[in-house]
Amino acid sequence: YEQGHAWVDGLVQFLKDNIDYTINYINDNIDGIKALEVEGTYLVWMDCRELGLDKEELNSLFINKAGLACDGGYWFGKAGEGFMRMNIACPRSMLEKALSNLKNAVEQLNK
């Protein structure tokens, strides 16, 4: 506990960088999804309501088309419907692949 400050500082910076990357990537590259600012965790909320999908279709898009396991916002009540929550505490290479997969899945949806 007394010697872990450098490790914790590095972890916090790593997570912040992944959060920033995720929010910027989604908001700049994926039409129909808006990433929301994080309020103290490594879980990024995504507003997917513009896609016009019900919760089963949204789950299918993320799981079957993009290959991502995210939390459905509906787990948190009616107000969460149309939202998904993604864990970004992973290596950057994995995050880049996940976001690219999501972008491709949404683009296929819109064709």
Side-chain angles (χ1 to χ4, degrees):
Y1 292 120
E2 294 177 5
Q3 299 174 10
H5 297 290
W7 181 85
V8 170
D9 291 345
L11 175 63
V12 169
Q13 186 61 53
F14 175 83
L15 294 173
K16 182 184 179 331
D17 291 345
N18 272 3
I19 289 167
D20 292 343
Y21 178 81
T22 301
I23 290 171
N24 290 330
Y25 185 93
I26 290 172
N27 292 341
D28 292 345
N29 297 290
I30 304 178
D31 292 334
I33 299 179
K34 181 178 190 282
L36 308 176
E37 290 298 323
V38 174
E39 296 181 0
T41 71
Y42 50 84
L43 301 167
V44 174
W45 281 91
M46 297 170 283
D47 182 347
C48 306
R49 293 175 295 178
E50 279 187 37
L51 297 175
L53 304 175
D54 64 28
K55 65 183 176 184
E56 288 81 17
E57 293 168 327
L58 191 56
N59 277 335
S60 179
L61 174 70
F62 275 76
I63 294 169
N64 300 323
K65 303 285 195 262
L68 303 177
C70 296
D71 299 331
Y74 66 90
W75 291 4
F76 302 94
K78 184 119 178 106
E81 290 182 12
F83 290 80
M84 295 295 280
R85 190 174 72 158
M86 181 168 60
N87 183 334
I88 57 79
C90 60
R92 178 61 66 89
S93 60
M94 183 180 287
L95 183 58
E96 289 170 351
K97 181 168 178 27
L99 293 172
S100 177
N101 288 354
L102 181 58
K103 179 183 181 208
N104 292 335
V106 171
E107 286 174 350
Q108 290 301 313
L109 178 71
N110 291 327
K111 285 187 176 183

